[in-house]
C-alpha cells in the first residue's frame, strides 16, 4: 500500500505550517514566499510484520530563478502508523534540507547557517565568478565519547560544519567551477571494525566520485566505535552576502 500523491500535499503543508513556514497550494505544489515550489511524491509504504509502518517519499523542489529544472531528495521514515511515518520523513526534510535551501535562496525567515565563499575563473577571458557554499545542519553520531586530545586532533574536527564538504571538495571541482545550482547530500560512516562506508548525491542523483574521499576521511577519525556524519550542502553562484 502507498499513499496517493494527492494525500501527501496536506501532510507536507501540515509540517510546514507547524514550523511557521507559510505556504500556499497551487495545484499539486506548495509555494513558499522564498519562491521555492515543493511537490511531494509517493514511492512506497509498507506495514511491517512486527508492527508500525515504513514509508519512502520524494520531494521535488524548484525555483524559477535559480533551478527551474528542479532537484529532488528521498525521505525514508518509520512510524506507528502510515501517516506518522510520512509526517516524520517530511519533518526531517523540512528541518535539514529545506532549511539549507531557504538559506541558499535568501528567504527572509531562513536560519542562520554557516557559509563559505569560493572564487573560480569563468570563460576563456578568465573572469572570476563567486560561489557560495551553504553548510546545512550536521548530523553526527558517535558510540563513544573521545578524550579532549583525540577530539581536537588535526585529523578530526569533531562536529565542525565544514569538514565533511572540504575533505571531499576535490570530487566536485568541475561542478563548482560551473554556474549550476547544486544540492549535495554527503554521508560517511565507520563501524566498530573500522569498515568505512559513504554515500553522496548531487541534486538527488548518485555521485560516485566523492565516495573514495569520504571513506578516506572517515578512516582518519579517532576510534570511537560506530560513527557517522551526514549533511546537506547547497552551492549557488554569488557571494555569501544575503541574496
Amino acid at each position: 500500500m502507498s499513499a496517493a500523491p494527492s494525500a501527501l500535499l496536506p501532510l507536507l503543508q501540515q509540517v510546514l505550517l507547524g514550523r511557521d513556514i507559510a505556504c500556499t497550494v497551487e495545484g499539486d505544489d506548495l509555494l513558499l514566499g522564498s519562491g521555492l515550489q515543493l511537490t511531494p511524491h509517493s514511492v512506497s509504504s509498507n506495514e511491517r510484520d512486527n508492527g508500525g509502518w515504513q514509508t519512502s517519499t520524494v520531494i521535488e523542489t524548484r525555483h524559477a530563478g535559480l533551478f527551474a529544472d528542479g532537484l529532488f531528495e528521498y525521505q525514508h521514515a518509520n512510524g506507528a502508523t502510515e501517516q506518522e511515518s510520512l509526517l516524520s520523513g517530511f519533518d526531517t526534510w523540512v528541518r535539514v534540507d529545506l532549511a539549507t535551501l531557504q538559506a541558499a535562496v535568501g528567504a527572509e525567515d531562513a536560519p542562520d547557517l554557516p557559509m563559505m565563499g569560493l572564487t573560480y575563473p569563468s570563460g576563456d577571458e578568465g573572469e572570476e565568478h563567486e560561489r557560495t557554499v551553504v553548510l546545512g545542519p550536521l548530523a553526527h553520531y558517535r558510540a563513544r565519547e573521545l578524550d579532549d586530545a583525540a577530539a581536537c586532533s588535526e585529523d578530526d574536527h569533531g562536529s565542525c560544519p565544514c569538514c565533511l564538504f572540504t575533505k571531499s571538495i576535490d570530487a566536485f571541482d568541475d561542478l563548482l567551477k560551473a554556474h549550476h545550482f547544486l544540492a549535495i547530500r554527503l554521508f560517511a560512516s565507520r563501524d566498530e571494525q573500522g569498515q568505512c562506508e559513504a554515500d553522496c548525491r548531487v541534486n538527488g542523483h548518485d555521485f560516485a566520485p566523492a565516495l573514495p574521499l569520504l571513506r578516506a576521511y572517515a578512516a582518519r577519525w579517532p576510534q570511537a566505535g560506530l560513527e557517522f556524519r551526514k549533511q546537506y550542502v547547497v552551492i549557488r553562484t554569488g557571494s555569501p552576502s544575503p541574496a
Side-chain angles (χ1 to χ4, degrees), residues 9 12-13 23-32 36-41 60 62:
L9 207 64
L12 179 55
Q13 184 180 33
C23 57
T24 57
V25 177
E26 292 194 358
D28 291 330
D29 307 323
L30 289 172
L31 183 63
L32 308 188
L36 291 176
Q37 190 172 350
L38 315 178
T39 311
H41 301 277
E60 183 181 3
R62 293 178 296 281

Side-chain angles (χ1 to χ4, degrees), residues 182-197:
L182 306 172
I184 302 175
R185 170 77 66 208
L186 299 166
F187 174 84
S189 69
R190 190 180 65 187
D191 65 17
E192 186 75 40
Q193 289 72 44
Q195 180 70 32
C196 298
E197 300 292 344

Side-chain angles (χ1 to χ4, degrees), residues 36-39 41 58-63 66-75 93 97-98 101 104-105 180-185 202-205 232-235:
L36 291 176
Q37 190 172 350
L38 315 178
T39 311
H41 301 277
V58 166
I59 295 178
E60 183 181 3
T61 309
R62 293 178 296 281
H63 188 286
L66 293 172
F67 50 102
D69 292 337
L71 53 90
F72 65 93
E73 269 296 339
Y74 288 91
Q75 300 81 48
W93 180 85
D97 298 31
L98 182 60
L101 289 168
V105 303
H180 305 299
F181 189 95
L182 306 172
I184 302 175
R185 170 77 66 208
V202 176
N203 292 356
H205 301 281
Y232 199 56
V233 175
V234 173
I235 296 100

Side-chain angles (χ1 to χ4, degrees), residues 12-21 23 30 38 94 98:
L12 179 55
Q13 184 180 33
Q14 176 182 331
V15 173
L16 291 168
L17 295 178
R19 293 194 171 273
D20 297 322
I21 301 173
C23 57
L30 289 172
L38 315 178
V94 168
L98 182 60

